[in-house]
Amino acid sequence: MDRPPTSKVSVNALTLRFNPATRDLFEFAVVRRVTQPYARRLALPGVTLWEGERLADAAVRAVTRKLGLSLRDQGQLTVFDEPARDPRGATLSALLWAVAEDGDATPGVEWDSFDDVPLARSTTIR
């Protein structure tokens, strides 16, 4: 193949916490997107990987910027590689798990249990 590389890499963080009030072992965070595509839809916190940046560092950046939280641990879950999954162009998307430090998240962050996955509320991984 003689095509130039055109793919982007995005990093999303499935950010987890323990909720002592509900005693849910783990809840995960979603936020409303502020930019197109999919503005106002729920999404896992994510960013586009910077040149030379490690996936783990990008996950920290996503959680810090979008949730206002620090991480106590993280690891890689999977990679989504469907070329047509993102209307902005071919995007390789790495999904990492992350455990948030205790603290208050940025206003607008929603926490859901895995028993209440918000698919009906238009969650996207971007």
Side-chain angles (χ1 to χ4, degrees):
M1 296 202 311
D2 292 329
R3 294 186 291 173
T6 58
S7 296
K8 296 180 180 140
V9 177
S10 64
V11 178
N12 297 96
L14 177 62
T15 308
L16 308 169
R17 74 168 184 182
F18 172 73
N19 185 333
T22 63
R23 306 214 30 96
D24 279 329
L25 181 55
F26 283 113
E27 293 179 325
F28 65 97
V30 290
V31 293
R32 298 241 176 238
R33 289 182 53 91
V34 295
T35 59
Q36 292 295 344
Y38 309 112
R40 295 180 301 284
R41 293 176 103 184
L42 291 172
L44 297 174
V47 294
T48 300
L49 189 70
W50 291 339
E51 185 175 341
E53 186 177 32
R54 309 250 350 214
L55 295 175
D57 294 333
V60 169
R61 183 165 53 90
V63 171
T64 301
R65 286 188 176 179
K66 307 240 171 130
L67 304 181
L69 296 170
S70 299
L71 296 181
R72 70 173 56 168
D73 206 359
Q74 63 178 318
Q76 188 171 337
L77 278 175
T78 192
V79 173
F80 299 97
D81 66 349
E82 170 55 48
R85 63 177 287 281
D86 191 323
R88 296 170 292 187
T91 303
L92 187 67
S93 184
L95 179 62
L96 281 74
W97 60 266
V99 178
E101 291 282 357
D102 292 337
D104 293 328
T106 301
V109 173
E110 297 181 29
W111 293 93
D112 290 294
S113 74
F114 285 96
D115 293 333
D116 184 32
V117 176
L119 291 176
R121 297 181 295 163
S122 303
T123 299
T124 59
I125 298 176
R126 296 280 176 228

